[in-house]
Amino acid sequence: MSTVLVVNSGSSSFKYQLIDMDTEQMLATGLVERIGEASGRSVHTIPWDAVPSVERSNAPQTTERILPIPDHTAGFRVMLEAFETHGPSLSRHPLGAVGHRVVHGGKRFFEATVVTNLVKINIEELAELAPLHNPANLQGIEAAQRAFPDVPHVAVFDTAFHQTLPPAAYSYAIDAKLAAKHRLRKYGFHGTSHKFVSEEAAKFLYRPLGELNQIVLHLGNGASVSAIEGGRSVETSMGLTPLEGLVMGTRSGDLDPAVLIHLHRRAGMSFDDLDTLLNRKSGILGMAGVGDMRDLQERSDAGDEVAAAAFDVYTHRIKGYIGNYMAQLGRVDVISFTAGVGENSPEVRAAALSGLEAFGIRLSDERNEERSRDPRRISTDDSEVDVLVVPTNEELEIARQTLAVL
Ligand code: ADP
């Protein structure tokens, strides 16, 4: 198999990447958005290093089209046209498979799975647990199957990597019958990223994955942390939904559930109001009015005390989880930071790890400030715990798992 197309579909958009699996090089990436609106948009990009050198002088890197895109099926036609017109040609790089990101695999899916009609029924049925994501993922799968009827399609689930959590970690301490009836438990998300980063960390350290105890901090707009023992996820911060755990761009993360009851009773907020409040208007946006970490840090640097306080809440929560997971693992060999904030904010990394020297965690200020797109060590040579920055690549991980299952 030479190439895998990776698709991440939302309800009104999808992103794609074409990856050469011999070299693991990305050949093209793109976005089709505003599907179903009066005017849609498609963007198709060929990375510089994927363009043959003889064609470079006039090779358009990024091409954009604005046109009505009534549904996902039309969206895939637009994508195919982009490949035909701007390359790379899908006849020269024949597609071996399509890998689809699916958010919720419930208890059923513990690994990447070839899409069959039964799998699609299961994904649809799990929409009860992920009403915003699973139906949109399924729309993408069906449209892609129409566009590429002759290649296998594989579903790669965000929850799958965390299926190894023990009951003590995944159970909520509520009425057991109610929990079972409504499938209430911790599932965990960002599994593709936690798996990828933990494997890359082991490669970087030249150590077998099986002998490492790891903590992975995925800090993007959404954020989660996981404890990984010998390559198996044993704890993670997101729960039934991606709302639990760390402070995020617009999501609250952990809070006393009584806050909801209180706001319902005292402030007359409906359940939809509370859903919007906690998922879209909380986190650093709720505390400081900006949901983007760069803006928050700029304001904090400029002396804005509200922004500084929100930054402290954000990093205090991370530190608490590190302590928790160190205790759960007993011994930690490596802590890795990844995703937009984790890869790019030395300030967040330094604040989250400050004062942990007694636990064998020593950050090198100089290494922490270095910028790079490669995995790197940011702890001192005498730190007992290796602290790394490991850029995540969820698309590549989906492509790898797609290939592996076939
Ligand atoms: P998503 O979860 O949407 O994939 P990303 O992983 O791209 O998100 O992370 C987005 C976050 O990364 C934003 O909050 C953004 O501010 C933050 N970020 C990106 N670059 C920097 C930077 N240089 N310093 C601090 N934060 C950054």
Side-chain angles (χ1 to χ4, degrees):
M1 175 188 315
S2 54
T3 64
V4 170
L5 181 75
V6 176
V7 175
N8 181 356
S9 177
S11 58
S12 64
S13 68
F14 65 88
K15 292 188 218 158
Y16 59 87
Q17 250 187 43
L18 183 70
I19 301 177
D20 180 326
M21 295 313 290
D22 294 328
T23 58
E24 296 200 331
Q25 188 189 25
M26 189 244 283
L27 300 175
T29 179
L31 165 72
V32 177
E33 63 179 355
R34 295 190 224 130
I35 295 172
E37 291 179 30
S39 103
R41 174 172 178 261
S42 87
V43 182
H44 184 80
T45 301
I46 307 167
W48 182 248
D49 49 6
V51 181
S53 53
V54 285
E55 297 169 21
R56 271 188 195 165
S57 56
N58 56 3
Q61 292 279 293
T62 294
T63 46
E64 182 187 17
R65 282 176 80 191
I66 305 289
L67 75 172
I69 305 171
D71 54 27
H72 284 66
T73 303
F76 274 87
R77 276 200 297 274
V78 172
M79 180 196 77
L80 283 172
E81 284 163 15
F83 274 108
E84 255 167 58
T85 314
H86 307 291
S89 150
L90 291 180
S91 48
R92 259 198 294 134
H93 299 274
L95 210 56
V98 184
H100 296 270
R101 174 181 184 222
V102 178
V103 166
H104 220 305
K107 272 206 305 197
R108 212 157 282 151
F109 295 105
F110 49 87
E111 59 185 15
T113 306
V114 177
V115 175
T116 60
N117 284 337
L118 182 62
V119 168
K120 287 199 282 187
I121 291 168
N122 282 324
I123 293 173
E124 185 162 31
E125 202 254 332
L126 287 163
E128 183 191 322
L129 295 173
L132 296 180
H133 293 108
N134 273 32
N137 300 154
L138 196 55
Q139 271 179 310
I141 291 176
E142 297 202 310
Q145 285 183 318
R146 275 179 220 117
F148 304 103
D150 301 325
V151 303
H153 292 252
V154 173
V156 179
F157 300 91
D158 267 19
T159 48
F161 182 58
H162 301 301
Q163 283 297 296
T164 46
L165 256 56
Y170 71 61
S171 303
Y172 291 126
I174 58 170
D175 181 308
K177 286 203 195 88
L178 202 62
K181 179 167 177 216
H182 295 286
R183 296 186 281 184
L184 305 178
R185 50 162 279 179
K186 176 182 282 193
Y187 292 98
F189 296 86
H190 289 147
T192 313
S193 179
H194 288 286
K195 181 173 191 296
F196 179 84
V197 170
S198 54
E199 291 174 2
E200 293 298 306
K203 280 187 213 162
F204 177 85
L205 295 169
Y206 291 101
R207 291 186 60 187
L209 184 65
E211 68 178 36
L212 290 176
N213 280 357
Q214 309 198 41
I215 293 176
V216 173
L217 293 149
H218 176 109
L219 310 176
N221 282 314
S224 67
V225 44
S226 62
I228 300 168
E229 201 173 60
R232 292 161 59 87
S233 173
V234 294
E235 244 302 7
T236 194
S237 59
M238 283 179 167
L240 173 74
T241 75
L243 181 56
E244 192 177 344
L246 299 177
V247 178
M248 309 183 211
T250 66
R251 287 174 243 164
S252 62
D254 296 336
L255 81 176
D256 181 345
V259 169
L260 303 186
I261 301 163
H262 191 85
L263 284 173
H264 177 63
R265 285 193 185 137
R266 301 277 165 204
M269 292 180 77
S270 69
F271 291 109
D272 284 341
D273 293 341
L274 293 169
D275 187 357
T276 306
L277 176 76
L278 296 187
N279 275 302
R280 298 184 196 282
K281 296 186 175 173
S282 297
I284 59 174
L285 175 71
M287 290 186 288
V290 287
D292 190 290
M293 181 53 74
R294 275 165 298 203
D295 298 338
L296 188 78
Q297 286 187 215
E298 261 170 43
R299 291 196 186 189
S300 172
D301 291 345
D304 180 334
E305 286 174 17
V306 174
F311 182 89
D312 290 345
V313 176
Y314 182 93
T315 53
H316 175 94
R317 183 82 51 88
I318 296 171
K319 188 184 288 184
Y321 268 93
I322 292 172
N324 178 351
Y325 289 4
M326 287 180 79
Q328 298 295 351
L329 288 168
R331 179 201 86 231
V332 176
D333 302 296
V334 47
I335 297 176
S336 298
F337 285 88
T338 194
V341 177
E343 290 167 31
N344 296 300
S345 176
E347 296 84 359
V348 165
R349 297 192 296 254
L353 299 182
S354 68
L356 298 182
E357 293 77 11
F359 299 96
I361 300 171
R362 275 179 285 279
L363 210 58
S364 152
D365 292 339
E366 198 181 318
R367 290 177 182 169
N368 186 33
E369 291 292 334
E370 269 167 32
R371 304 207 139 263
S372 162
R373 296 170 86 182
D374 296 322
R376 56 197 182 274
R377 181 187 273 106
I378 57 171
S379 46
T380 58
D381 289 339
D382 67 350
S383 178
E384 285 163 47
V385 178
D386 281 309
V387 183
L388 309 182
V389 175
V390 180
T392 192
N393 189 340
E394 290 166 274
E395 289 79 13
L396 178 57
E397 180 59 34
I398 290 173
R400 282 181 183 170
Q401 290 189 35
T402 297
L403 196 63
V405 76
L406 294 171

